[in-house]
Amino acid sequence: MTMIEDLQIDSIVLNSELSGRGVMHLSQYHAQPQGYLNGGATLAFGEILAGMLSNMILPDDAFAVGQSVTANHLRPMKSEGVLIGHGELLLKGKTSHVWKFDMRDKEDRLISQVTVTCAVVPKNR
């Protein structure tokens, strides 16, 4: 089983070369002891989304890996329902991509803002 499956991430869609989205279905697995969404799960969700979206736009001879993740957790959320990541590609460079994600609940409230830098790596490295 992969982390993507463990975190229950799906519905990853590239809307354009500059934007995409994904969904993480929340349960007690994603909770910290008080029952709220664990910030680490949100960070992992952001890094997974960034890597997968970057890989959708990269040529076949390269792939993306997470290099840096930063976040601001803005609103506590019970670990239930879904967290929806709406991403915008801020930089599409030859050796790195930078994504900004607004993580929102089903009522479209901003829960966290996550920025991810992906290194673009040649496959034959």
Side-chain angles (χ1 to χ4, degrees):
M1 186 169 264
T2 67
M3 183 178 280
I4 296 165
E5 295 165 324
D6 281 345
L7 289 174
Q8 300 176 39
I9 297 170
D10 62 21
S11 304
I12 297 174
V13 176
L14 186 66
N15 298 327
S16 72
E17 277 220 2
L18 299 176
S19 70
R21 68 182 294 275
V23 176
M24 184 166 65
H25 302 269
L26 303 177
S27 67
Q28 275 304 111
Y29 180 80
H30 303 87
Q32 41 93 312
Q34 291 74 29
Y36 287 89
L37 174 61
N38 188 304
T42 305
L43 289 168
F45 179 36
E47 184 172 339
I48 288 166
L49 275 178
M52 293 184 78
L53 292 170
S54 282
N55 284 325
M56 290 179 186
I57 61 175
L58 284 170
D60 289 339
D61 63 347
F63 65 98
V65 295
Q67 187 171 38
S68 173
V69 182
T70 60
N72 289 297
H73 303 297
L74 305 169
R75 176 189 299 266
M77 173 184 182
K78 285 286 190 182
S79 188
E80 55 193 33
V82 295
L83 187 66
I84 304 161
H86 300 275
E88 175 186 2
L89 183 60
L90 301 177
L91 172 72
K92 183 182 176 188
K94 290 181 181 181
T95 60
S96 64
H97 289 176
V98 178
W99 289 90
K100 179 184 77 82
F101 293 97
D102 285 344
M103 303 299 191
R104 297 183 173 272
D105 65 11
K106 64 183 176 187
E107 283 82 33
D108 203 35
R109 292 179 293 206
L110 185 61
I111 304 300
S112 296
Q113 189 280 317
V114 179
T115 303
V116 181
T117 301
C118 289
V120 176
V121 181
K123 283 188 179 174
N124 297 329
R125 186 173 181 199

